């Protein structure tokens, strides 16, 4: 397709996507390529995106970032879970933690054992066996020094998005990424191949490259405005299309989890940072006016607002090809899935890793492009299904929105997943789905799907032995909690190191 060696990568955009791409690509293959990032301070970044999921730790560790420094510089806090409030029904809540309940035996997932025990008058629930849940509820956190998988506590961070981009900019410039300030006014394209040749800035500078990474935000300046790649619209399934956000004063006790509070036409996030809370409302404009949304958010802040309200409009979906010609779109330019499970920053991370794996150092060809696009399609569709699950399986009868969510048609892939769990209690992970069985399990059960059956393998354990085993796991899981510091004490210690 184009056998020109890729020697120079140009990244357009200096938001989270741009700087994450610059840092990781330079770190991993900076010996083979030159990297230049172009951004415009006068345009700015989207300024939101504060909650993450555990793989971010791997990202930071590959970059060699020190955790204490990262927590300090980005005003980050620990995230163990998301607490979903009023989602199944008003007044009820459940956690989707990053942990897993109990201990699975060979070929037998823990929830089958629990269901078998529940038939024996044991009324314990999933979360009582989940250390992430126990820590989240007690507001505690520290690294537990043990190799026992029962003491594993997967976690992620909440951070200030603007500070994270600044942090990564400093990191990237230090390892040799060139940053150019300026607004792109014109994009030069090869008349025959349609490949992008260069970006022309407002001041006349011309930035040429062999491969372009479009991190220009929702508009997708290269992937869409220039290459007209097209968009697959999923808003008939994920109907929220607007959001508003406002910061508020911090609390004395910093929660180690995100709160997601369902309202009549959407949901509200509360993200605790060291210096403030991030708040926002994601809503459907078909079910709620902008003024109603604003009133709803402002009247449900738990502390005083300390900044301006920002609003966002979006269409949920994905770019038809995340990589088209010599443009790879990463971040908002590649599509958008609302922040319900904090997956956007992760999608940036996985696109960067995928690009590194498929990097066309000897020239861009269709086989690499197709593989990249195939993987990104599967990944995004799986996350899409997981998000739809939260909305679709609800028992709320208080608004048209929740009724519409419950009665809408859903993708066949999701319908199958729900049915096989409901009827048989079985969960199967598809194609490296980002969300593992423990995640699907928590959200399905949390939203009110209680399986009718469990696998007979669970009956291989004699009832008394099973009861003892569960009791023992519960005790072991609780053991470390008493000696752990509070989340705030943990952060204070990190600030001092
Ligand atoms: C309401 C909301 C809440 C969210 N919450 C979360 C969350 O909790 N967790 C999560 O993982 N994700 C979240 N996201 C997504 C997350 O914010 C984004 O994925 C992330 O910030 C990446 O944005 P970006 O870098 O792609 O785009 P942007 O931040 O918009 O950056 C675009 C960059 O392109 C530059 N640019 C654009 N045009 C030009 C031009 N002509 N010339 C030069 N430069 C240009 C801009 O200057 C800017 O630097 C949320 C998104 C929204 C809308």
């Amino acid at each position: 397709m184009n056998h020109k060696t890729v020697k120079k990568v140009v990244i357009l955009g200096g938001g989270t996507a741009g700087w994450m791409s610059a840092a990781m690509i330079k770190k991993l293959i900076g010996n083979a390529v030159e990297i230049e990032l172009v951004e415009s301070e006068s345009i700015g970044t989207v300024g939101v995106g504060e909650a993450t999921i555990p793989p971010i730790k791997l990202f930071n560790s590959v970059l060699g970032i020190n955790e204490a420094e990262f927590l300090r510089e980005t005003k980050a806090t620990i995230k163990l879970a998301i607490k979903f409030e009023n989602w199944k029904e008003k007044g009820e809540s459940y956690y989707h933690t990053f942990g897993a309940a109990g201990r699975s035996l060979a070929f037998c997932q823990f929830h089958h054992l629990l269901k078998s025990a529940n038939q024996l008058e044991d009324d314990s629930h999933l979360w009582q066996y989940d250390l992430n849940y126990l820590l989240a509820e007690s507001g505690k956190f520290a690294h537990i020094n043990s190799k026992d998988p029962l003491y594993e506590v997967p976690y992620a961070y909440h951070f200030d998005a603007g500070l994270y981009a600044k942090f990564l900019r400093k990191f990237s410039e230090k390892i040799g990424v060139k940053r150019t300030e300026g607004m792109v006014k014109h994009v030069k394209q090869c008349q025959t191949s349609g490949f992008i040749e260069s970006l022309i800035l407002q001041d006349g500078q011309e930035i040429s490259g062999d491969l372009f990474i479009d991190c220009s935000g929702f508009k997708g300046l290269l992937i869409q405005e220039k290459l007209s790649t097209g968009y697959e619209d999923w808003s008939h399934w994920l109907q929220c299309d607007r959001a508003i956000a406002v910061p508020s004063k911090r609390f004395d006790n910093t929660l180690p989890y995100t709160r997601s509070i369902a309202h009549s036409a959407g949901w509200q996030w509360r993200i605790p940072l060291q210096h403030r809370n991030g708040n926002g409302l994601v809503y459907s404009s078909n079910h709620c006016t902008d003024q109603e949304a604003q009133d709803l958010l402002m009247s449900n802040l738990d502390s005083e607002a300390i900044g301006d309200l920002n609003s966002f409009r979006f269409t949920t979906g994905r770019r038809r090809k995340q990589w088209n010609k010599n443009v790879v779109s990463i971040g908002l330019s590649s599509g958008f899935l609302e922040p319900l499970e904090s997956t956007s920053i992760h999608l940036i991370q996985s696109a960067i890793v995928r690009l590194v794996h498929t990097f066309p150092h000897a020239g861009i060809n269709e086989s690499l492009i197709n593989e990249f696009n195939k993987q990104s399609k599967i990944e995004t569709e799986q996350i899409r299904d997981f998000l739809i699950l939260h909305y679709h399986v609800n028992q709320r009868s208080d608004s048209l929105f929740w009724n519409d969510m419950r009665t809408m048609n859903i993708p066949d892939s999701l319908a199958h997943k729900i049915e096989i769990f409901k009827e048989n209690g079985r969960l199967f992970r598809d194609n490296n789905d980002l969300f593992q069985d423990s995640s699907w399990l928590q959200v399905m059960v949390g939203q009110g799907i209680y399986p009718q059956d469990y696998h007979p393998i669970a009956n291989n354990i004699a009832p008394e032995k099973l009861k003892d085993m569960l009791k023992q796991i519960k005790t072991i899981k609780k053991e470390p909690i008493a000696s752990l510091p509070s989340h705030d004490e943990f952060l204070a210690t990190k600030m001092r190191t």
Side-chain angles (χ1 to χ4, degrees):
M1 189 177 181
N2 184 327
H3 296 292
K4 191 174 158 220
T5 314
V6 172
K7 289 201 182 117
K8 172 143 183 219
V9 174
V10 174
I11 299 172
L12 170 59
T16 305
W19 284 114
M20 282 179 77
S21 304
M24 188 55 85
I25 294 170
K26 184 70 193 170
K27 173 85 184 179
L28 296 181
I29 45 176
N31 56 351
V33 285
E34 184 192 336
I35 297 175
E36 181 165 358
L37 183 145
V38 181
E39 68 174 319
S40 160
E41 262 168 26
S42 62
I43 294 180
T45 67
V46 72
V48 276
E50 299 176 330
T52 61
I53 55 175
I56 187 90
K57 285 175 54 233
L58 177 63
F59 188 85
N60 284 356
S61 105
V62 172
L63 291 181
I65 289 171
N66 170 279
E67 186 175 59
E69 185 190 355
F70 164 79
L71 288 167
R72 247 188 340 261
E73 297 281 320
T74 65
K75 305 267 185 225
T77 64
I78 298 297
K79 176 180 171 190
L80 297 167
I82 303 175
K83 184 177 185 187
F84 287 96
E85 303 171 31
N86 303 335
W87 276 83
K88 177 187 156 212
E89 295 191 60
K90 266 177 146 177
E92 288 205 17
S93 65
Y94 69 92
Y95 284 83
H96 169 202
T97 76
F98 297 136
R103 182 206 304 255
S104 297
L105 296 183
F107 306 117
C108 182
Q109 294 154 312
F110 180 74
H111 69 274
H112 296 294
L113 299 171
L114 184 60
K115 175 98 179 154
S116 163
N118 287 160
Q119 316 274 334
L120 304 167
E121 291 163 10
D122 172 322
D123 62 357
S124 59
H125 62 73
L126 209 57
W127 289 273
Q128 286 169 295
Y129 301 87
D130 182 335
L131 187 49
N132 274 55
Y133 164 79
L134 297 169
L135 289 173
E137 281 276 275
S138 59
K140 292 189 161 193
F141 180 78
H143 297 112
I144 299 175
N145 197 8
S146 165
K147 293 228 174 329
D148 186 336
L150 285 178
Y151 289 144
E152 240 174 68
V153 182
Y155 66 94
Y157 308 107
H158 305 113
F159 54 59
D160 182 312
L163 294 179
Y164 186 53
K166 262 192 203 149
F167 181 77
L168 289 181
R169 173 179 165 188
K170 204 159 95 186
F171 174 93
S172 306
E173 289 187 307
K174 219 185 205 168
I175 60 170
V177 172
K178 180 178 178 200
R179 174 189 180 273
T180 300
E181 168 65 34
M183 194 185 298
V184 174
K185 274 289 165 199
H186 180 64
V187 179
K188 245 196 201 169
Q189 204 175 4
C190 169
Q191 293 304 315
T192 42
S193 67
F195 275 38
I196 306 297
E197 291 176 335
S198 62
L199 310 179
I200 316 287
L201 308 189
Q202 199 167 28
D203 64 5
Q205 273 190 84
E206 179 165 2
I207 317 282
S208 311
D210 306 308
L211 181 73
F212 289 79
I213 304 185
D214 185 349
C215 299
S216 64
F218 280 124
K219 62 177 173 257
L221 199 119
L222 306 179
I223 196 79
Q224 186 56 33
E225 290 188 0
K226 202 66 198 175
L227 297 183
S228 307
T229 303
Y231 197 76
E232 203 174 315
D233 183 340
W234 291 336
S235 53
H236 49 295
W237 287 317
L238 289 164
Q239 298 183 25
C240 289
D241 57 353
R242 289 187 192 181
I244 42 176
V246 68
S248 70
K249 277 192 172 162
R250 73 173 297 271
F251 298 132
D252 287 340
N253 292 324
T254 314
L255 296 178
Y257 57 86
T258 305
R259 284 181 66 196
S260 164
I261 307 148
H263 289 296
S264 55
W267 63 278
Q268 178 185 348
W269 76 77
R270 164 104 72 65
I271 295 177
L273 303 177
Q274 289 179 36
H275 55 318
R276 60 170 169 81
N277 282 318
N279 308 277
L281 186 83
V282 176
Y283 61 101
S284 153
S285 61
N286 268 333
H287 297 86
C288 172
T289 65
D290 293 342
Q291 189 58 51
E292 282 165 347
Q294 194 172 321
D295 295 344
L296 194 60
L297 178 62
M298 298 312 278
S299 60
N300 280 288
L301 292 182
D302 290 337
S303 57
E304 191 191 325
I306 50 171
D308 295 335
L309 195 89
N310 285 320
S311 25
F312 310 87
R313 291 179 177 209
F314 51 84
T315 306
T316 297
R318 59 178 282 276
R319 211 52 75 200
R320 288 197 185 280
K321 288 178 180 178
Q322 188 170 0
W323 181 347
N324 190 5
K325 299 189 189 293
N326 64 339
V327 175
V328 180
S329 54
I330 296 187
L332 298 172
S333 64
S334 68
F336 188 65
L337 287 168
E338 59 145 285
L340 186 57
E341 284 284 356
S342 326
T343 42
S344 290
I345 294 172
H346 176 75
L347 284 170
I348 294 171
Q349 172 175 343
S350 65
I352 295 167
V353 174
R354 189 173 300 128
L355 177 59
V356 168
H357 286 151
T358 54
F359 196 78
H361 64 98
I364 294 169
N365 60 60
E366 284 293 349
S367 59
L368 288 173
I369 296 180
N370 291 343
E371 182 59 33
F372 180 98
N373 286 336
K374 182 183 88 184
Q375 289 182 21
S376 88
K377 178 174 188 290
I378 293 171
E379 180 181 42
T380 328
E381 285 174 350
Q382 287 167 340
I383 297 175
R384 173 201 71 193
D385 283 5
F386 190 55
L387 299 189
I388 299 170
L389 171 72
H390 299 62
Y391 284 103
H392 179 60
V393 183
N394 79 76
Q395 295 170 17
R396 289 185 61 143
S397 52
D398 57 302
S399 72
L400 183 61
F401 175 77
W402 290 105
N403 191 50
D404 285 352
M405 297 300 109
R406 197 170 46 251
T407 52
M408 72 178 158
N409 287 324
I410 57 172
D412 291 345
S413 43
L414 175 61
H416 169 71
K417 196 127 188 161
I418 293 176
E419 200 175 295
I420 197 165
F421 182 69
K422 196 189 269 177
E423 291 178 359
N424 313 282
R426 311 295 157 86
L427 283 166
F428 297 95
R429 187 175 177 202
D430 301 315
N431 268 323
N432 291 324
D433 187 349
L434 169 64
F435 291 103
Q436 305 200 10
D437 295 348
S438 55
S439 292
W440 283 90
L441 178 68
Q442 292 178 69
V443 176
M444 291 223 225
V445 173
Q447 293 286 145
I449 305 178
Y450 307 118
Q452 291 152 19
D453 197 6
Y454 63 93
H455 200 293
I457 245 180
N459 295 334
N460 286 344
I461 306 182
E464 282 315 309
K465 207 171 157 201
L466 179 62
K467 279 189 195 169
D468 279 354
M469 189 184 107
L470 293 188
K471 202 169 145 199
Q472 209 186 354
I473 296 178
K474 241 195 254 177
T475 312
I476 295 174
K477 291 270 182 177
K478 276 193 207 142
E479 237 161 39
I481 297 173
S483 60
L484 291 181
S486 72
H487 180 210
D488 280 316
E489 284 161 352
F490 166 81
L491 292 172
T493 312
K494 285 284 180 184
M495 292 311 109
R496 288 195 294 268
T497 49

